[in-house]
Amino acid sequence: QVQLVESGGGLVQDGGSLRLSCVASGRTFGTNSIGWFRQAPGKERERVAVVTWSGTGRLYADSVKGRFTISRDNAKNTVYLQMNSLKPEDTAVYYCALGWRFEGPWPYWGQGTQVTVSS
């Protein structure tokens, strides 16, 4: 099995920054991809960013391009999501997920971390 634990969420003002972390453990063998997703109340889950095992392949939702950066440190089994210029519409529970293909599917999920951006 694979376990994913997110951290780094919190309350921040409009225009502020946060860095989320996702630590993977267990049977994370192979060249996996890890994605960050978010879900706001009453809305569908949205894919925010994905990074390949090597770190060279990345994609972002249009809504976060230029503001968010995904990166990973495989020695630490950790993926980061640096979020700058946060907006109230970024408020959501953020989840990381692990899969074996860049485009998914995503069989393993963390428990989520709340990000709240106040106006």
Side-chain angles (χ1 to χ4, degrees):
Q1 285 294 333
V2 173
Q3 294 80 43
L4 301 171
V5 179
E6 304 97 334
S7 62
L11 174 64
V12 64
Q13 290 188 333
D14 191 354
S17 298
L18 284 174
R19 188 176 80 157
L20 305 183
S21 299
C22 171
V23 179
S25 61
R27 302 186 68 183
T28 61
F29 57 88
T31 55
N32 58 66
S33 291
I34 290 186
W36 283 99
F37 298 77
R38 67 186 181 187
Q39 188 164 22
K43 295 187 177 180
E44 293 187 354
R45 186 173 63 197
E46 175 187 19
R47 185 182 63 185
V48 175
V50 178
V51 64
T52 58
W53 172 261
S54 66
T56 57
R58 306 177 189 181
L59 66 84
Y60 297 94
D62 288 342
S63 57
V64 306
K65 281 181 182 177
R67 300 188 298 121
F68 291 11
T69 302
I70 189 170
S71 62
R72 66 187 297 166
D73 183 343
N74 290 334
K76 296 181 178 180
N77 288 331
T78 302
V79 173
Y80 304 98
L81 185 68
Q82 178 66 45
M83 306 186 296
N84 298 328
S85 301
L86 283 162
K87 305 174 182 180
E89 52 262 45
D90 294 316
T91 295
V93 178
Y94 284 70
Y95 302 89
C96 65
L98 184 148
W100 311 115
R101 297 173 61 89
F102 187 62
E103 64 275 21
W106 308 99
Y108 302 104
W109 291 81
Q111 83 290 348
T113 185
Q114 175 71 46
V115 171
T116 303
V117 185
S118 63
S119 57

